[in-house]
Amino acid sequence: MTTITAQINGEARALRVGTTLADLVPPEWKQGVAVARNEEIVPRAAWATTPVAPGDAIEIVRPVSGG
Amino acid sequence: MTNLNPRAPLPGEEPWEIAGLTLNSRLLLGTSRYPSMQVLLDALDASGTGLVTVALRRVDPNVGADGESLYDVLVERGLHLLPNTAGCFTAKEAVLTAELGREALNTSLVKLEVIADEETLLPDVEELLVAARELVSRGFQVLPYTTDDPIIARRLEEIGCVAVMPLGAPIGSGLGIRNPHNIQMIKERAGVPVIVDAGVGTASDAAMAFELGVDAVLMNTAVAQARQPVRMARAMRAAAIAGREAYLAGRMPKRFWGEASSPMDGRVTTGFHAGQQAAWP
């Protein structure tokens, strides 16, 4: 199986070639989640059509308690 | 103060508007540092708040969702969420975090916070102004956490921020409103709502902020770290009402000497003159 390496929330991860952003987000997180790829927001509607490229820096964030 | 609907206004809580939202309570609450989720939710109910702050953080997607998320429980309760950029030290970090907040929460509101250093947690106003300009140009409704400097507050308003949020004292310090005169100067000249953010330690601090005329107060630690957070939330609600009502009522002028409240005419006398040494019996 061919894999690529990308940074997911700051950690290097091996991913299948063709992995999209949609594959990285648990399906039960329907709301209250945002994804950025190389410091650019990727809207939810584009997750399924955005493949992760080698070396990408992906951020997956959710709201947590804050002041 | 037990309302079936915690969001129902109490006497003295008149609807007001901020960034297109209509709120009854003038308290904005943070959601951090509570002993438990249940205490947080009970305290939010007791405070009557309609707008609460949240942070955006990396979450490990492998962990998955265990039970209801904070997002779900807050939204279920009908609360509006205000994402912050807490923990950002540069304009660049703050802008990206704001974008993530807008995407995750589907809101253009952002509490813009750009911190200068971890010890003071004071705003870095240079970075703050840069970030505010950028976010306004990207269509955000920016509520900037700023110093109590009236000049910076004015500049933030000129940039197009929908409110200004001067600090009363450093975040989490509970030192109260350290420079009431500055807060008053900011309010006097502001054309947007003024929200005191940070510094409130107890109910009298909140009441004082409202007596100065500010539109709202944002607090977190004062409630979350009280020995009884729910009771403190109730106290803060009463203080907000008391302070706001006192401000609207218009306080009496201060006098150096006393002035009798009861009439002096027709009082019983014994031939004693004011200033004389009284002998008794």
Side-chain angles (χ1 to χ4, degrees):
Chain A
M1 189 169 75
T2 325
T3 62
I4 57 160
T5 306
Q7 297 281 322
I8 312 295
N9 282 350
E11 281 182 32
R13 286 231 333 246
L15 302 171
R16 245 186 325 102
V17 170
T19 299
T20 67
L21 296 183
D23 299 325
L24 297 177
V25 182
E28 61 269 29
W29 292 2
K30 290 187 182 63
Q31 288 186 318
V33 55
V35 177
R37 177 171 166 266
N38 301 328
E39 301 184 0
E40 294 287 336
I41 303 295
V42 181
R44 177 183 306 269
W47 291 352
T49 55
T50 307
V52 181
D56 270 358
I58 310 293
E59 298 286 347
I60 303 168
V61 302
R62 304 199 79 195
V64 299
S65 59
Chain B
M1 235 188 258
T2 322
N3 287 316
L4 289 177
N5 172 9
R7 234 62 66 202
L10 293 175
E13 287 178 333
E14 309 285 343
W16 67 291
E17 281 190 29
I18 173 84
L21 298 176
T22 302
L23 302 170
N24 291 322
S25 169
R26 288 175 180 270
L27 293 181
L28 280 57
L29 258 70
T31 54
S32 198
R33 308 185 68 188
Y34 283 83
S36 72
M37 177 74 101
Q38 194 55 53
V39 172
L40 162 67
L41 296 175
D42 291 347
L44 295 180
D45 282 352
S47 76
T49 189
L51 181 59
V52 299
T53 58
V54 292
L56 274 300
R57 289 293 178 268
R58 291 169 166 176
V59 180
D60 186 349
N62 293 324
V63 174
D66 49 338
E68 268 190 316
S69 71
L70 177 72
Y71 173 87
D72 293 326
V73 291
L74 295 177
V75 169
E76 254 168 37
R77 285 175 124 75
L79 293 163
H80 297 285
L81 303 188
L82 175 60
N84 70 23
T85 64
C88 292
F89 289 87
T90 64
K92 193 175 174 227
E93 284 173 0
V95 169
L96 178 58
T97 304
E99 289 280 10
L100 289 165
R102 175 159 71 175
E103 175 68 16
L105 302 178
N106 197 24
T107 177
S108 59
L109 294 179
V110 63
K111 173 184 163 177
L112 176 61
E113 202 177 313
V114 191
I115 297 305
D117 68 73
E118 288 186 52
E119 189 168 41
T120 65
L121 297 178
L122 291 173
D124 182 327
V125 294
E126 285 188 315
E127 292 291 311
L128 181 67
L129 291 168
V130 171
R133 257 183 223 108
E134 181 60 27
L135 290 172
V136 168
S137 78
R138 294 186 187 197
F140 281 86
Q141 294 185 285
V142 180
L143 294 88
Y145 165 65
T146 183
T147 56
D148 58 11
D149 179 342
I151 309 306
I152 298 296
R154 177 141 258 213
R155 210 143 284 169
L156 287 163
E157 180 177 344
E158 285 163 3
I159 284 170
C161 293
V162 297
V164 288
M165 305 208 294
L167 54 81
I171 294 169
S173 69
L175 290 171
I177 316 295
R178 303 308 289 181
N179 197 337
H181 188 60
N182 272 31
I183 300 291
Q184 222 163 358
M185 283 195 284
I186 290 170
K187 177 58 196 172
E188 279 301 313
R189 298 209 299 183
V192 293
V194 176
I195 301 171
V196 166
D197 181 4
V200 165
T202 189
S204 53
D205 298 332
M208 184 210 249
F210 283 106
E211 285 177 24
L212 296 173
V214 303
D215 299 275
V217 174
L218 199 169
M219 62 180 76
N220 187 342
T221 313
V223 175
Q225 298 281 296
R227 207 167 55 235
Q228 294 185 42
V230 179
R231 184 172 286 235
M232 185 57 88
R234 217 158 43 222
M236 291 299 185
R237 185 175 195 174
I241 294 170
R244 177 75 185 166
E245 289 282 83
Y247 168 72
L248 294 174
R251 61 153 301 141
M252 60 161 282
K254 292 183 183 179
R255 292 193 185 88
F256 190 79
W257 300 116
E259 193 174 78
S261 346
S262 305
M264 292 299 271
D265 289 342
R267 71 197 194 281
V268 175
T269 60
T270 59
F272 168 77
H273 304 291
Q276 217 180 10
Q277 192 72 30
W280 183 268

